[in-house]
Amino acid sequence: MKSIIVFASGAGSNFSSIIQYAKTNNAFSIALLVVNKEDAPVIHLAKEQGIPILILNKEVFNNTEWIATLAAYHPSLIVLVGFLWKLPEKLVTTFERKIINIHPSLLPKYGGKGMYGMHVHNAVRQANESETGITIHYVNEHYDEGAIILQEKVAIDAFDTPLAIAKKVQQLEHRYLPITIHALLK
Ligand code: GAR
């Protein structure tokens, strides 16, 4: 069975939906969770599932020896879900076309440094957009600029708060990210 490595640092709702999908469909295994915060809630999910965890602080992250640890798992895909540090070039070149990211907007709109989580949805609301969505894309050495694999849209109603927009976007993420991973592994 093919395996993936997931990078995350937040609540882990996408990690959870990936785990559920992989189990239900016997689709792929999750070899490792990589996190950059010792207290990230997503760690508990990995522990519950018996998934190995690699915690990186800035010092370890900048000394790229840990990339060999990843390679030893022979992942078919590396999936970033809310991992906000810019990846070292060595990682991107070692796993060329094998790293994907999910972004909570319709890139190139609302992408780039500092555009993550609620910052994105606040900006979308302020701009009075009539729609938003998700982008799943390959990762290259520039923030949010790799080739786009999939975009899905959702309408924004006049009365939607940034939080309501976030919920709509999250629903798209949970629905489309696992099936996109599965499709890329086939
Ligand atoms: C997701 O909404 C993802 O799109 C976003 O972080 C969230 C992680 O949520 N990523 C970015 O904003 C990247 N720029 P989760 O921890 O609940 O999966």
Side-chain angles (χ1 to χ4, degrees):
M1 186 183 283
K2 292 195 173 162
S3 72
I4 67 167
I5 290 178
V6 177
F7 281 49
S9 64
S13 71
N14 279 286
F15 186 57
S16 180
S17 74
I18 293 168
I19 291 170
Q20 287 316 318
Y21 177 92
K23 273 189 174 178
T24 310
N25 298 282
N26 202 20
F28 49 85
S29 66
I30 302 163
L32 182 72
L33 171 73
V34 179
V35 287
N36 59 4
K37 277 190 212 150
E38 261 175 48
D39 56 352
V42 66
I43 291 175
H44 299 294
L45 288 170
K47 280 190 179 156
E48 265 171 33
Q49 301 294 325
I51 297 169
I53 303 158
L54 175 65
I55 302 175
L56 302 172
N57 59 30
K58 265 277 179 209
E59 201 186 329
V60 178
F61 189 71
N62 289 332
N63 169 351
T64 52
E65 274 171 26
W66 58 275
I67 294 172
T69 310
L70 261 61
Y73 285 99
H74 301 293
S76 297
L77 205 60
I78 293 178
V79 183
L80 312 186
V81 281
F83 189 85
L84 304 176
W85 290 354
K86 191 171 185 298
L87 300 183
E89 201 183 323
K90 187 171 172 200
L91 184 72
V92 179
T93 50
T94 306
F95 296 100
E96 208 182 342
R97 291 289 274 196
K98 279 191 176 175
I99 310 179
I100 66 169
N101 178 48
I102 184 155
H103 186 81
S105 76
L106 297 169
L107 290 174
K109 284 184 157 187
Y110 308 103
K113 204 166 164 41
M115 272 295 171
Y116 61 90
M118 285 309 296
H119 296 290
V120 175
H121 309 304
N122 286 329
V124 165
R125 175 72 285 169
Q126 282 217 324
N128 263 322
E129 296 280 1
S130 60
E131 62 179 17
T132 186
I134 61 166
T135 303
I136 300 172
H137 64 94
Y138 286 106
V139 171
N140 65 15
E141 58 281 6
H142 304 290
Y143 269 113
D144 300 334
E145 283 181 20
I148 291 174
I149 300 162
L150 177 99
Q151 289 192 309
E152 289 293 332
K153 295 177 180 171
V154 63
I156 298 174
D157 300 321
F159 49 82
D160 276 341
T161 61
L163 207 57
I165 296 171
K167 285 197 176 136
K168 285 181 169 179
V169 169
Q170 199 179 46
Q171 280 177 0
L172 289 181
E173 294 190 326
H174 295 171
R175 180 162 168 210
Y176 287 102
L177 182 58
I179 58 176
T180 302
I181 294 169
H182 197 184
L184 289 171
L185 292 173
K186 279 181 187 161

